[in-house]
Amino acid sequence: MFFFELLGNDPLAYLVAFAAAAFGLVVHNLFQAYLADRYKDGDPRRYGFLTVEPKVHLDGLGLIFLALIGFGFPRLVPWRLFGAKGAQTALMGPLGFFVAAFFYILLGRILDNLGPATSSIALGLQVAGSLMISHAAVFLFPVPPLDGARVVYAIGSPEARRFMDQLQSYGFVGFFVIFLVLNLSGILPAIRAGLSGLLNSLFAAMGL
């Protein structure tokens, strides 16, 4: 089911999923901003990325994509870190998505057990959790402006950074082509399946 189709089938579930996924984009940024701030980079705090103010984190076009296809993107968190610190900061973004997925799915399962009165909210949260897993997988790709590319810029060789620059010069077309190749080749589904498996293992360890 395409994400937008949920609007026709269960409008409340769609609205819950959209709102939760949009907040997941904020969580992604907060995780990165927090670690950059701990590493004494003042840019995230200076530009307000340590707050939950939506207008700081959310991008209008990113929200439109999220509403239509279930995949969105936030504004880039600014930092000037390189080396291991820069790479760790970038990877905090996918971790933020994963943590959001954990709590959304957990809360969705709890509400689902309460009966029909909360079924739409439960479904919306579970859909949002699934979307967050997909976001975590995609944002790991080394394709500008995703977090994987920021890892390459932080710790990659000069040749790898130049390759990232070349990819970035193609703009959205380059991003779409790489995304399509990685998806059709099975890399994206494999990463997503691995993250979903890890999440299910955590729930199993908790007896859920």
Side-chain angles (χ1 to χ4, degrees), residues 64-89:
I64 291 174
F65 272 88
L66 180 63
L68 294 177
I69 65 174
F71 178 80
F73 46 88
R75 298 181 187 275
L76 287 179
V77 179
W79 71 74
R80 292 175 287 181
L81 299 167
F82 293 95
K85 291 182 178 179
Q88 291 166 14
T89 301

Side-chain angles (χ1 to χ4, degrees), residues 164-184:
M164 290 296 104
D165 289 338
Q166 290 176 345
L167 286 180
Q168 193 166 22
S169 68
Y170 291 110
F172 179 78
V173 174
F175 172 83
F176 180 77
V177 170
I178 297 297
F179 174 82
L180 191 63
V181 169
L182 291 173
N183 190 36
L184 294 177

Side-chain angles (χ1 to χ4, degrees), residues 101-113:
F102 174 83
F103 283 106
Y104 290 161
I105 294 175
L106 176 62
L107 184 56
R109 291 186 178 186
I110 293 172
L111 291 177
D112 193 44
N113 291 328

Side-chain angles (χ1 to χ4, degrees), residues 140-174:
L140 285 170
F141 288 171
V143 181
L146 301 178
D147 297 326
R150 301 188 83 175
V151 172
V152 174
Y153 277 119
I155 62 174
S157 66
E159 292 77 13
R161 294 174 187 172
R162 282 195 292 270
F163 181 67
M164 290 296 104
D165 289 338
Q166 290 176 345
L167 286 180
Q168 193 166 22
S169 68
Y170 291 110
F172 179 78
V173 174

